[in-house]
Amino acid sequence: MKGGAIDMSKLDPILTKHEGQKEALISVLQEVQGEFGYVPEEAIERIADALKLFPSQVYGVVTFYSQFYLTPRGRNTIRVCRGTDCHVQRTTSLLAAIEQTLGIKEGETTDDLRFSLEPATCLGKCSLAPVIMVNRDYYGKIVPRELETILKRYE
Amino acid sequence: MEQITLSLNGSQVNGRPGTTILDLAQQNGIHIPTLCHDPHLIPIGACRVCLVENEATGALLASCVTPIAPGMVINTESPKVLEARRTVVELLLASHPDSCIICDKGNRCQLRKIASDLEIGQVRFGKTRHYYPIEDTNPFLERDLSKCILCGKCIRGCQELQGAWAIDYAYRGFDSKPATSLEVPLEQSPCEFCGLCVSLCPTGALYEKMRKYKGRETKRVRTICPFCGCGCGIYLELRDQEVIGVSADAENPVNKISLCVKGRYGYDFINHGDRLKKPLIRKNGELEEASWEEALDLVASKLEQIRGESGADSIACLSSAKSTNEENYLLQKFARAVIGTNNVDHCARLCHSVTVAGLAISFGSGAMTNSIAEIEDADVILITGSNTTETHPIIALRVRRAVMKGAKLIVIDPRKIDITKYATLWLSQNPGTDVAWLNGLMHIIIEEDLWDKDYVEKRTEKFEELRETVKKYTPDFVEGISGIPQDRLREAARIYASGERATILYSMGITQHTTGTDNVKSIANLAMLCGNVGIESGGVNPLRGQNNMQGACDMGALPNVLPGYQRLSDQEAAPKFEKAWGRRLPANSGLTVVETMRAAEEGKIRAMYIMGENPMISDPDLKHVEAALKKLDFLVVQDIFLTETAQLAHVVLPSVTFAEKDGTFTNTERRVQRIREAIDPIAEARPDWQIICQLASRMGYKMNYEHPSQIMEEIAKLTPSYGGIYYDRLEKEGLQWPCPNRDHPGTRYLHKDRFTRGLGLFQAVEYIPPAETPDEDYPYILSTGRVLYHYHAGSMSRRCQGLDEIYPESLAEINPSDAQELGVEDGEMVRIASRRGEVEVKAKVTERAPKGVVFMNFHFNEAAANILTNPALDPVGKIPEYKVCAVRMEKA
Ligand code: SF4
Ligand code: SF4
Ligand code: SF4
Ligand code: FES
Ligand code: FES
């Protein structure tokens, strides 16, 4: 498990508060994610039990909303734009370069939890295509060899 | 009721308000294609294949969700409809792989059928496919979600009907798909392999593994599942003489489109190579093949010889809760009229004899008071001593659905069995303390004034005795005995008493005790106290285990009663039978199963005739059973396989399975249903009823029946509760007894307005501890029972490939803290010993088992739980105490 053992007892206060409340699922998931930074797989069955839901329902909701994560998140999130303009400007090669440098695929997180890599549709800065975004910073019109310097800024 | 008139494809038609356009079209013989609709599921209107045009407005409507309205002008085939429908189907095909030719769904695929009906060849849209790996790690079904069209039927079936919720929609948009939690393979999810999703899936996304490459069936035969007392309706699907699949008989009110894993996938025992093909006779210590002539002659002459030497009562017959009513009737007739003894019993003795005894005294009739379908509409359900999900899967579905509709469920069981997941309240009592907590519930209900005074006064008697007896069962006192916390017991009492229609479901956890009869009486007391007997969806409902256990009892395969529970001493009944059968009947009651074994060991029983039972696995204290059977001068076993018992026989007669004969089974809700011959008998095997007739003739008693229907005619004449049961009436649907005459529609629930015995009788009982309680030498309690994937002594289910693969070996459930004390890890072997013997078995460490209790199933001869069990008997029902015996455990 990435990031070492997790302390599941942190779930208890959240679950006790919402015992038996099926409708509270989304807020419970938000609280759990707030506590752990993601929704740990082990939490799903316990959430289901506490809210009197079935695990498959909880999983369905977790995967439905892109705001919920089932794996720990990196401290920094890289988004590589897959919008049309950026695509024309070859963000795919950027993506490949990042994947190679970090040794992870889209949707994954590095073992040291430094970076998560996520797909993005148009990031809204098409005139700067190709665009990537790290946390809240935009980088436009970049080429693969600039990546190293950019990533160095994030610990 | 008022009708709505509208135009449908040019004709004026009428329909009831609320009818959908789709239903109306179907009622008028007009076909509209559908993909996401099934009449048993709540419609969602997702696929849009069922579009029709309302020409009055020009609107396209999804017919499966649109109710009819006055003035509609519906056209199901207008150019606009066809065009829209084509687009929908083409869009579906655009994301569908081109693998129709090799897809095993073949021409059962709805998508392919609709596409070809619409004459779609080329798809106009660019292909956007999903590639998912095929999931095929379980023995029953394969999932290839690249063929999924997201109709949601599998999910809705799994949730709405099965109540298992193994799968739900995951992700969204283009990535959406049905998935288990965390996308684990089905066998690691709550999936129960009921196969409903497969039968609903319109495409090849889900398909049956065992059916692959078997081709299409050539014939389907409507019959009844042989695996449990639910009695689900099934179709056997045949390719010539081979059963290649099973599907649900949607017309059968018991199960509709549902089945459990055994019913759906447990058919390969029928054509199994181990089936007995010829009679066997023991010669020089070995069983050797023989002709029917030789075998039957030998059995007849041996039985006559032993009767001549030691009298008729030195012979005993064991009938079978797996055989048909007709066969059970004939076997008891054979014992009574041909041999001349009442020594006939069957293994209901080991399961529900105390139900028959206890409820007969309380109510006058010892069967389920209500019907399976009614459970769904109960508002309170109390389940005790029944692992319903595993032993009566289809009844468990009704319970789950009732809960989904808002019913409150109380489960009182030592183990954290599956159904507790659905419970409002689960109480874990110490095994064998049922009378105590039942009296406790009644104490609270009386103390808090929650009982139904009007009912008690008008419909029952002897209430005062009950009130006196339960006085001392205060919640505090009961907690001391049962371990159930007082406030929880109070909560249970209040919930039960609050029900308008409260039903109690129980099974062997209540009956298999030395105090079984008392337990049953207490349950009857509780139900009457709250006015729950004789009403729809209420009642006292003993769930009978085997497919025809109810019927075998009804047919008088019992040592103390004649068919229909008519007493041997009954001044009218006995002469009626003597006249019909042309023989004087023995007057003294015969021996019960366990008593027979004891008598055999003592040499008092010299010969036994066993039809389709396997006491070498199913009876308590197997060492003594073995000694008893070995001591017999003559043992005849009639069965489909060479069972552990058959291996000890002098003569083995090969009989046929349910698929090779006609007859009837009576399910647990008293429903008499037809089974039908689907294939010819395998090799030289013969139906039990024919064998009995042939043997009777050889012993000088003519039994002339050409067909089981003639046997049923005789039964109907002699048995008042079956008086109206004739084969011609059973063609469409079964009949529930009592059904006294040809015009009677059968009885859905008993004791309406009046108990069978007149007034309901309260029978106050005191708590008595189990015969064997844990002590220093044997500190744990052993309890036994069944698992979902197997049936009875395992001779059928263990020969079904899928069932054996998913549950291949016996497992003993042990609580984690006990396991830790013993130093045993999950999956390690433990040695379990009682005063009677010991077995080694693999441990399953689980919270399901409470501390101090180990649970074993009895399906496996390698780890036969019944080597350990205690043959101590209930004094009235003579049931052995399977549910409690003291054992010690150690790491093996
Ligand atoms: S087999 Fe039954 S329990 Fe399993 S997923 Fe399908 S419907 Fe659900
Ligand atoms: S797997 Fe079959 S039943 Fe389930 S959603 Fe897909 S197509 Fe429908
Ligand atoms: S519930 Fe019982 S009768 Fe129904 S399919 Fe399963 S085993 Fe057969
Ligand atoms: S397409 Fe990349 S920012 Fe718009
Ligand atoms: S069948 Fe009507 S929308 Fe699918």
Side-chain angles (χ1 to χ4, degrees):
Chain A
M1 170 103 265
K2 282 176 189 171
I6 38 169
D7 180 3
M8 289 310 269
S9 68
K10 289 199 241 158
L11 267 183
D12 298 336
I14 306 175
L15 297 185
T16 343
K17 197 163 67 193
H18 296 286
E19 188 88 54
Q21 304 172 2
K22 292 188 189 231
E23 347 47 69
L25 177 58
I26 302 265
S27 39
V28 168
L29 289 172
Q30 281 170 327
E31 285 178 49
V32 170
Q33 185 149 302
E35 184 63 52
F36 297 92
Y38 68 110
V39 181
E41 293 192 350
E42 303 87 322
I44 291 196
E45 195 148 336
R46 300 224 7 228
I47 297 175
D49 277 353
L51 269 52
K52 293 232 161 218
L53 290 165
F54 293 89
S56 58
Q57 287 174 288
V58 177
Y59 183 75
V61 171
V62 172
T63 54
F64 185 84
Y65 294 102
S66 52
Q67 68 177 117
F68 294 123
Y69 306 112
L70 280 164
T71 45
R73 309 307 307 158
R75 294 184 292 282
N76 307 291
T77 307
I78 309 172
R79 294 192 173 81
V80 182
C81 180
R82 307 271 244 156
T84 320
D85 287 8
C86 291
H87 186 75
V88 174
Q89 296 297 331
R90 304 184 54 80
T91 30
T92 18
S93 58
L94 279 180
L95 181 62
I98 298 176
E99 287 182 340
Q100 208 183 5
T101 323
L102 299 180
I104 53 172
K105 292 247 170 297
E106 228 182 22
E108 293 179 349
T109 299
T110 55
D111 280 343
D112 58 5
L113 296 185
R114 188 166 156 216
F115 289 109
S116 292
L117 181 56
E118 278 186 7
T121 47
C122 178
L123 290 169
K125 296 262 191 263
C126 311
S127 57
L128 297 178
V131 181
I132 71 165
M133 195 177 168
V134 184
N135 302 343
R136 303 199 165 273
D137 314 327
Y138 291 96
Y139 297 91
K141 291 195 190 298
I142 52 164
V143 288
R145 73 183 139 71
E146 290 171 285
L147 282 172
E148 212 187 311
T149 12
I150 298 176
L151 296 186
K152 264 203 186 130
R153 296 180 200 152
Y154 301 91
E155 259 320 306
Chain B
M1 203 188 202
E2 96 195 75
Q3 298 266 315
I4 293 178
T5 308
L6 63 158
S7 153
L8 180 65
N9 288 0
S11 341
Q12 293 294 307
V13 293
N14 295 322
R16 289 229 194 115
T19 311
T20 60
I21 299 172
L22 178 67
D23 289 341
L24 187 73
Q26 273 165 357
Q27 288 160 18
N28 287 280
I30 294 171
H31 173 74
I32 300 176
T34 60
L35 282 173
C36 70
H37 180 78
D38 186 281
H40 302 91
L41 300 174
I42 300 168
I44 54 167
C47 74
R48 320 308 279 184
V49 163
C50 66
L51 291 175
V52 296
E53 184 179 350
N54 180 1
E55 291 178 331
T57 61
L60 288 176
L61 307 167
S63 62
C64 69
V65 285
T66 313
I68 53 172
M72 279 180 162
V73 182
I74 299 297
N75 188 335
T76 65
E77 303 267 316
S78 73
K80 203 165 154 190
V81 166
L82 293 180
E83 182 50 33
R85 215 176 261 164
R86 244 179 233 130
T87 308
V88 168
V89 174
E90 284 186 55
L91 280 169
L92 290 172
L93 289 173
S95 51
H96 202 82
D98 303 308
S99 49
C100 290
I101 307 281
I102 51 160
C103 176
D104 245 291
K105 205 80 166 198
N107 40 15
R108 282 176 300 155
C109 174
Q110 292 304 307
L111 181 60
R112 182 168 141 187
K113 179 166 183 309
I114 294 172
S116 85
D117 287 350
L118 290 167
E119 294 169 0
I120 296 174
Q122 282 276 305
V123 173
R124 288 169 292 170
F125 306 102
K127 289 244 170 191
T128 43
R129 305 277 174 59
H130 258 299
Y131 293 101
Y132 294 111
I134 296 179
E135 182 190 323
D136 67 345
T137 46
N138 72 77
F140 306 108
L141 53 110
E142 288 192 10
R143 296 165 92 209
D144 177 1
L145 293 183
S146 45
K147 296 180 187 160
C148 174
I149 58 166
L150 273 176
C151 69
K153 278 192 197 169
C154 56
I155 296 172
R156 289 183 286 148
C158 189
Q159 301 181 346
E160 289 167 26
L161 297 179
Q162 183 68 10
W165 297 74
I167 47 176
D168 201 343
Y169 295 99
Y171 306 96
R172 64 173 157 175
F174 182 65
D175 292 325
S176 185
K177 62 173 181 179
T180 59
S181 177
L182 300 171
E183 290 164 71
V184 295
L186 285 171
E187 62 275 22
Q188 291 167 32
S189 78
C191 172
E192 298 163 318
F193 297 107
C194 69
L196 178 66
C197 53
V198 187
S199 70
L200 287 168
C201 181
T203 73
L206 300 174
Y207 51 96
E208 263 145 17
K209 213 169 170 180
M210 292 159 68
R211 254 191 115 121
K212 270 176 111 177
Y213 318 120
K214 289 269 187 195
R216 194 173 162 74
E217 71 268 11
T218 50
K219 193 170 136 197
R220 303 171 79 214
V221 176
R222 196 167 172 231
T223 186
I224 299 298
C225 172
F227 280 114
C228 88
C230 294
C232 294
I234 57 172
Y235 278 96
L236 287 180
E237 303 187 330
L238 308 157
R239 195 163 175 89
D240 308 319
Q241 291 291 315
E242 192 190 354
V243 181
I244 59 164
V246 168
S247 58
D249 172 7
E251 316 262 288
N252 192 306
V254 172
N255 57 301
K256 305 256 177 69
I257 61 171
S258 299
L259 287 176
C260 81
V261 61
K262 291 189 289 298
R264 189 137 6 216
Y265 299 117
Y267 51 80
D268 39 339
F269 78 94
I270 299 169
N271 293 90
H272 197 283
D274 286 357
R275 284 283 304 277
L276 287 170
K277 298 182 184 69
K278 275 171 121 347
L280 304 173
I281 295 178
R282 192 170 296 278
K283 290 177 183 160
N284 308 320
E286 297 293 322
L287 284 171
E288 287 176 17
E289 289 194 350
S291 70
W292 272 105
E293 289 302 307
E294 192 188 349
L296 288 172
D297 285 343
L298 177 64
V299 174
S301 63
K302 267 298 212 183
L303 291 179
E304 276 173 342
Q305 177 206 330
I306 289 173
R307 178 176 55 190
E309 290 165 7
S310 314
D313 285 339
S314 66
I315 302 173
C317 296
L318 279 192
S319 196
S320 171
K322 298 195 205 64
S323 298
T324 63
N325 285 323
E326 293 74 5
E327 290 162 342
N328 275 285
Y329 173 82
L330 280 196
L331 191 70
Q332 62 85 34
K333 182 174 175 182
F334 178 78
R336 294 186 161 119
V338 183
I339 297 180
T341 176
N342 280 315
N343 290 339
V344 56
D345 202 5
H346 70 283
C347 71
R349 174 68 50 206
L350 309 175
C351 307
H352 271 293
S353 51
V354 297
T355 290
V356 176
L359 293 187
I361 308 172
S362 299
F363 302 156
S365 171
M368 236 173 114
T369 57
N370 291 61
S371 299
I372 293 172
E374 288 171 42
I375 296 170
E376 206 170 317
D377 297 312
D379 59 356
V380 171
I381 301 172
L382 168 62
I383 297 184
T384 182
S386 157
N387 178 8
T388 325
T389 318
E390 301 200 56
T391 59
H392 296 84
I394 290 297
I395 292 178
L397 300 193
R398 301 283 183 175
V399 174
R400 291 174 181 176
R401 289 182 213 163
V403 171
M404 290 191 272
K405 286 193 200 165
K408 295 212 167 79
L409 171 64
I410 311 165
V411 178
I412 304 187
D413 199 285
R415 284 195 303 154
K416 193 174 179 184
I417 46 177
D418 168 84
I419 203 83
T420 61
K421 272 204 305 221
Y422 301 78
T424 317
L425 191 64
W426 164 52
L427 309 177
S428 172
Q429 84 278 34
N430 297 330
T433 61
D434 302 297
V435 169
W437 64 259
L438 280 158
N439 277 346
L441 286 180
M442 290 184 267
H443 175 99
I444 298 166
I445 289 171
I446 295 172
E447 178 193 73
E448 297 192 1
D449 213 20
L450 304 171
W451 50 292
D452 189 337
K453 291 177 207 77
D454 194 46
Y455 182 95
V456 168
E457 187 187 324
K458 293 203 180 107
R459 306 238 4 222
T460 66
E461 56 184 326
K462 298 259 163 43
F463 170 67
E464 284 311 318
E465 276 95 326
L466 178 83
R467 187 206 285 265
E468 269 315 302
T469 307
V470 302
K471 248 190 197 139
K472 80 165 191 265
Y473 291 84
T474 61
D476 181 37
F477 178 63
V478 172
E479 177 170 350
I481 300 170
S482 69
I484 300 175
Q486 304 180 31
D487 51 328
R488 310 274 288 177
L489 193 71
R490 238 178 233 290
E491 206 182 329
R494 289 176 189 154
I495 297 176
Y496 180 75
S498 75
E500 287 289 318
R501 300 174 306 281
T503 180
I504 304 178
L505 310 182
Y506 75 85
S507 195
M508 267 93 101
I510 282 296
T511 58
Q512 289 179 336
H513 292 281
T514 43
T515 58
T517 308
D518 288 350
N519 293 352
V520 171
K521 289 176 184 168
S522 289
I523 286 186
N525 290 344
L526 174 64
M528 287 190 291
L529 183 64
C530 294
N532 281 324
V533 186
I535 59 168
E536 193 157 356
S537 292
V540 170
N541 295 298
L543 309 181
R544 316 295 299 256
Q546 295 186 68
N547 56 322
N548 197 32
M549 189 189 285
Q550 183 65 50
C553 292
D554 297 346
M555 292 301 109
L558 297 168
N560 57 339
V561 287
L562 292 160
Y565 310 97
Q566 300 174 77
R567 253 173 299 177
L568 292 167
S569 54
D570 188 323
Q571 293 302 321
E572 273 169 45
K576 175 176 71 181
F577 281 94
E578 289 183 339
K579 187 153 164 261
W581 293 351
R583 287 279 167 107
R584 293 249 341 129
L585 295 185
N588 55 324
S589 281
L591 298 179
T592 63
V593 173
V594 180
E595 289 168 333
T596 303
M597 291 298 169
R598 280 182 198 155
E601 213 179 352
E602 290 161 13
K604 289 189 201 134
I605 292 287
R606 292 184 54 206
M608 269 172 88
Y609 190 98
I610 302 182
M611 170 170 90
E613 291 224 333
N614 193 1
M616 277 295 293
I617 293 283
S618 61
D619 285 18
D621 195 2
L622 291 182
K623 279 197 180 154
H624 282 268
V625 174
E626 182 170 359
L629 293 177
K630 281 191 170 150
K631 186 131 197 253
L632 291 171
D633 292 326
F634 194 57
L635 173 61
V636 186
V637 174
Q638 189 167 307
D639 212 319
I640 57 176
F641 293 114
L642 193 64
T643 61
E644 291 74 10
T645 307
Q647 285 164 25
L648 301 178
H650 298 95
V651 179
V652 180
L653 304 174
S655 61
V656 302
T657 66
F658 78 111
E660 297 147 73
K661 63 187 172 192
D662 285 324
T664 58
F665 290 155
T666 304
N667 77 351
T668 185
E669 54 166 2
R670 303 169 272 106
R671 187 183 298 275
V672 186
Q673 309 191 94
R674 263 305 298 280
I675 63 158
R676 294 180 180 84
E677 184 177 326
I679 56 170
D680 298 336
I682 302 276
E684 289 184 27
R686 293 179 182 174
D688 290 318
W689 65 272
Q690 281 180 7
I691 304 175
I692 301 168
C693 291
Q694 289 157 357
L695 199 55
S697 303
R698 279 182 169 70
M699 294 177 70
Y701 185 95
K702 280 273 163 275
M703 284 191 183
N704 291 326
Y705 308 99
E706 264 153 39
H707 188 261
S709 58
Q710 296 168 345
I711 308 175
M712 187 50 90
E713 279 166 27
E714 182 174 320
I715 296 169
K717 279 192 200 104
L718 293 168
T719 314
S721 52
Y722 278 66
I725 295 181
Y726 288 85
Y727 272 37
D728 57 327
R729 297 189 67 195
L730 299 175
E731 271 314 308
K732 277 180 92 175
E733 201 176 294
L735 281 168
Q736 285 175 284
W737 67 257
C739 176
N741 58 59
R742 257 193 165 280
D743 303 317
H744 195 281
T747 309
R748 260 193 322 125
Y749 63 94
L750 305 177
H751 315 304
K752 184 169 187 264
D753 306 324
R754 183 182 177 279
F755 280 94
T756 310
R757 74 178 285 279
L759 291 175
L761 178 67
F762 281 109
Q763 303 179 80
V765 285
E766 295 279 358
Y767 165 72
I768 307 167
E772 196 176 79
T773 48
D775 55 23
E776 238 166 61
D777 295 337
Y778 296 93
Y780 297 94
I781 293 179
L782 169 78
S783 197
T784 65
R786 290 160 51 182
V787 301
L788 174 63
Y789 297 101
H790 288 286
Y791 179 56
H792 212 240
S795 59
M796 286 152 65
S797 58
R798 292 196 64 198
R799 285 185 177 86
C800 295
Q801 209 188 336
L803 299 176
D804 200 49
E805 193 177 321
I806 199 138
Y807 204 107
E809 58 186 343
S810 194
L811 295 172
E813 295 177 5
I814 299 175
N815 182 277
S817 70
D818 291 340
Q820 205 179 9
E821 259 168 47
L822 297 165
V824 178
E825 305 257 341
D826 190 65
E828 287 187 335
M829 298 299 283
V830 278
R831 191 172 303 117
I832 305 182
S834 76
R835 290 189 172 80
R836 292 155 293 276
E838 64 173 52
V839 296
E840 278 185 22
V841 58
K842 197 179 260 187
K844 178 163 177 60
V845 178
T846 164
E847 295 280 354
R848 258 165 80 103
K851 198 172 155 25
V853 178
V854 46
F855 173 84
M856 279 181 78
N857 71 70
F858 73 99
H859 307 296
F860 293 84
N861 60 353
E862 306 88 314
N866 284 323
I867 288 181
L868 307 171
T869 45
N870 189 355
L873 299 183
D874 173 274
V876 184
K878 304 283 168 67
I879 222 168
E881 190 144 53
Y882 286 108
K883 293 297 184 229
V884 185
C885 79
V887 294
R888 69 165 174 259
M889 290 195 281
E890 61 200 21
K891 193 168 162 171

